[in-house]
């Protein structure tokens, strides 16, 4: 999969994909992430990419022309399955969306700044508008990094143990159960006996029960 990201602060996106699972995905040739500097696509003086909002009001708006120059130069060589604009007024990102995107070939993400991007670009080029939650970030970059991480780890072949994504929280509309590792006892706090019993059937039943209980307590809204 290839993910291209258009940004006015490309430096923000240098480190997030260079470690851990996403690095492994890249090293295996399963994920390629390219960050495109929007300022390389403006014809305005001093690399300007934003301007005052028509109608007045506080805050700048990202101009349509540099965005169109950037996307059209990318589209000359790539057909995108989705053009995603990260914005607090988009649909809220979730694991189901991550699963769907992980099966695509080419994604383009657009990071907004200031008061957002000219509506005409949204109307004519963007295919999905996505928010990562009900709060406002100073730009779309961190949101794009969240999407790339959530999607990248689900690309078939990226995780070592293919089953480990299947036991993630949200994968079956359930939160994951509690987990423990050595030592068996620390400051008198013991690992539940059942996990040390070696009885895989009982352990599995315990995990399902714990998942259900956690989900009922914490996220009744996601239960089927
Ligand atoms: N840009 C600013 N805030 C955002 C959010 N919550 N989600 C996605 N993009 C954003």
């Amino acid at each position: 999969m290839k993910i291209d990201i258009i940004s006015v602060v490309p430096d923000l996106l240098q480190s997030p994909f260079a470690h851990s699972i996403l690095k492994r995905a890249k090293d295996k040739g399963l994920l390629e992430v390219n960050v495109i500097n929007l300022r390389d696509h403006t014809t305005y003086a001093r690399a300007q990419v934003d301007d005052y909002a028509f109608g007045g009001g506080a805050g700048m708006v990202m101009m349509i022309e540099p965005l169109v120059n950037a996307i059209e130069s990318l589209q000359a060589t790539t057909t995108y399955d989705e053009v995603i604009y990260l914005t607090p007024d988009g649909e809220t990102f979730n694991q189901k969306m991550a699963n769907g995107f992980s099966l695509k070939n080419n994604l383009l993400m657009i990071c907004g700044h200031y008061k957002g991007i000219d509506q005409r670009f949204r109307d004519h080029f963007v295919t999905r508008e996505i928010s990562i939650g009900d709060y406002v970030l100073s730009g779309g970059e961190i949101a794009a990094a969240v999407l790339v991480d959530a999607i990248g780890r689900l690309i078939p072949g990226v995780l070592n143990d293919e089953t480990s994504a299947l036991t993630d929280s949200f994968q079956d509309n359930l939160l994951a159960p509690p987990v423990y590792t050595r030592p068996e006892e620390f400051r008198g706090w013991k690992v539940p006996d059942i996990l040390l019993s070696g009885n895989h059937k009982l352990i599995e039943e315990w995990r399902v029960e714990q998942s259900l209980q956690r989900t009922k307590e914490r996220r009744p809204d996601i239960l089927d």
Side-chain angles (χ1 to χ4, degrees), residues 28-54:
K28 282 187 179 172
L30 297 169
L31 175 65
E32 175 189 338
V33 181
N34 304 302
V35 184
I36 295 99
N37 188 345
L38 184 63
R39 294 186 198 282
D40 292 341
H41 294 273
T42 181
T43 52
Y44 293 88
R46 293 180 301 280
Q48 184 186 354
V49 291
D50 60 331
D51 210 337
Y52 295 100
F54 279 128

Side-chain angles (χ1 to χ4, degrees), residues 86-88 130-133 135-137 139-140 143:
L86 286 314
T87 176
I130 295 180
S131 163
I132 60 161
Y135 38 80
V136 177
L137 304 167

